[in-house]
Amino acid sequence: MGRPTDPSSTPAPVGTTAEPGLIPDLIARIPWPRWALITVAAAAGVLIVSCLLCVCCCCRRHGRKKPRDKVAVGLGSARSSTTTHLSLPTQVQPEVGNVESNPGGPQQWGRLQLSLQYDSGSQQIRVGLKQAVDLRARGPGDTADPYACVSLSTQPGHRHETKAHRGTLNPVFDETCCFRIPPAELPQTTLQVRLLDSRCFSQHEPLGELSLPLGAIDLRHVLELWHQLGPPGTTKAEQTGELCFSLQYVPGSGRLTVVVLEARGLSPGLAEPYVKVQLMLNQRKWKRRKTSARKSTATPYFNEAFTFLVPFSQIQSVDLVLAVWARGLRLRNAPVGKVVLGARASGQPLQHWADMLAHARRPVTQWHRLQPPRDVDQALALQPRLHLPLPGS
């Protein structure tokens, strides 16, 4: 039986709702089915829980930053205390703590790894250029195209240039060169290594240098060491001048075009300089051209083009020799310097020749440092021929 109503109780005014039935009344007024309301409620709950978890994770990460800094300081002190117990003759890499504590110290120009081996029987020293690290870019940008130039103080006209490596401050050369030197001259000889930044349309920028007295080194065993590079300019380069020219080869027609543009850095005492362009086939003179002479200038501008017909089957057997000639103090013409390009070249000339073959039908322009004529003539007879990749192979 139901409980009788209390006559003293008054009904709620019209337009109001009692508190115990607030949520059921709101749900009853929403014109949605019950399953839709349950889905919305579940999605809202998942969203709220996800937000709470993200806030908790951020708070934990923020609270761990200070202990991480303390651990880093402890590692730095442990590293410095460990390196003090090493007893090496030369430090391979500077400590991080020393670099940070001495911002005004001497500038670092990078390091060079090379090997030395002397053969007393053939009286030759074998210099192996391995790699360089941490070079400094002196031009615009944070990169360079480095290559190395090796020479001896007792043989200023004889030097070896490595291939240029594009866009790196840690080049791996992996090249070897030999110099003939009697044992009696070793104590007075200094090995000089210059690292330069190769540039197509401007003077090559020096990156660092190394001067290594051979008399202070025990050459009875093969040595492979790291050496700290010094600032550029400590070793004075031999002024033989430079020559700028472009190369273009069309494999289909066999047309080799050489455009002699200009020269610079020639001796002021030379008169009427001109350029001879010569092709050699299998170490024999084949074809020859020459530019017109320019009077009374150390920076002659030629801009003369020469075309040679070289079949595609003979391009690997051809040597291209460009020689600057002038009339000297004895009123007779003599070669000032030469540049040889081809499969038997090395360094920048070999790179220029390879770029010409890789970019067929397109002219490739570059500056080249002139080499002593006698050294070029000896190199043409002594160096082995390399096999370069041909277009389409």
Side-chain angles (χ1 to χ4, degrees), residues 101-163:
S101 62
N102 189 18
Q107 296 179 345
Q108 302 295 328
W109 300 95
R111 297 179 296 122
L112 177 67
Q113 184 187 24
L114 55 84
S115 63
L116 297 175
Q117 181 182 5
Y118 183 74
D119 187 0
S120 58
S122 60
Q123 297 185 357
Q124 285 188 346
I125 184 170
R126 191 180 184 90
V127 182
L129 294 168
K130 302 300 182 181
Q131 59 181 328
V133 296
D134 300 333
L135 299 180
R136 295 186 58 191
R138 303 188 63 188
D142 297 331
T143 185
D145 300 335
Y147 69 97
C149 181
V150 188
S151 62
L152 298 179
S153 59
T154 56
Q155 303 175 13
H158 185 198
R159 57 177 165 231
H160 173 80
E161 291 185 358
T162 66
K163 176 184 176 181

Side-chain angles (χ1 to χ4, degrees), residues 43-268:
V46 172
L47 181 62
I48 293 174
V49 173
S50 301
C51 293
L52 292 176
L53 291 177
C54 291
V55 172
C56 295
C57 293
C58 292
C59 293
R60 290 181 179 180
R61 292 180 181 179
H62 183 72
R64 291 181 180 179
K65 286 185 177 179
K66 292 183 179 180
R68 185 177 296 177
D69 294 339
K70 292 180 180 180
V71 174
V73 174
L75 289 176
S77 60
R79 183 184 304 171
S80 60
S81 63
T82 304
T83 54
T84 55
H85 297 286
L86 297 177
S87 58
L88 296 177
T90 57
Q91 190 173 353
V92 176
Q93 187 172 358
E95 298 179 10
V96 178
N98 294 341
V99 175
E100 295 177 353
S101 62
N102 189 18
Q107 296 179 345
Q108 302 295 328
W109 300 95
R111 297 179 296 122
L112 177 67
Q113 184 187 24
L114 55 84
S115 63
L116 297 175
Q117 181 182 5
Y118 183 74
D119 187 0
S120 58
S122 60
Q123 297 185 357
Q124 285 188 346
I125 184 170
R126 191 180 184 90
V127 182
L129 294 168
K130 302 300 182 181
Q131 59 181 328
V133 296
D134 300 333
L135 299 180
R136 295 186 58 191
R138 303 188 63 188
D142 297 331
T143 185
D145 300 335
Y147 69 97
C149 181
V150 188
S151 62
L152 298 179
S153 59
T154 56
Q155 303 175 13
H158 185 198
R159 57 177 165 231
H160 173 80
E161 291 185 358
T162 66
K163 176 184 176 181
H165 296 263
R166 307 292 185 184
T168 179
L169 296 178
N170 302 286
V172 178
F173 301 111
D174 198 16
E175 295 189 23
T176 305
C177 58
C178 297
F179 297 91
R180 184 177 180 84
I181 175 173
E185 297 182 5
L186 285 175
Q188 295 82 24
T189 304
T190 300
L191 177 67
Q192 299 169 348
V193 183
R194 303 175 66 236
L195 270 72
L196 301 99
D197 183 9
S198 174
R199 300 186 180 180
C200 295
F201 303 104
S202 61
Q203 189 173 6
H204 297 186
E205 190 74 20
L207 299 175
E209 297 183 3
L210 171 66
S211 295
L212 196 62
L214 298 181
I217 302 176
D218 186 8
L219 297 176
R220 292 176 297 179
H221 308 283
V222 180
L223 301 177
E224 185 171 330
L225 301 173
W226 283 93
H227 300 274
Q228 191 74 31
L229 294 173
T234 55
T235 304
K236 186 176 180 181
E238 183 184 5
Q239 298 296 330
T240 55
E242 293 178 294
L243 182 64
C244 180
F245 55 89
S246 69
L247 300 177
Q248 181 185 14
Y249 183 69
V250 182
S253 60
R255 295 170 64 89
L256 174 63
T257 303
V258 182
V259 181
V260 182
L261 296 174
E262 59 180 320
R264 65 187 179 191
L266 301 180
S267 176

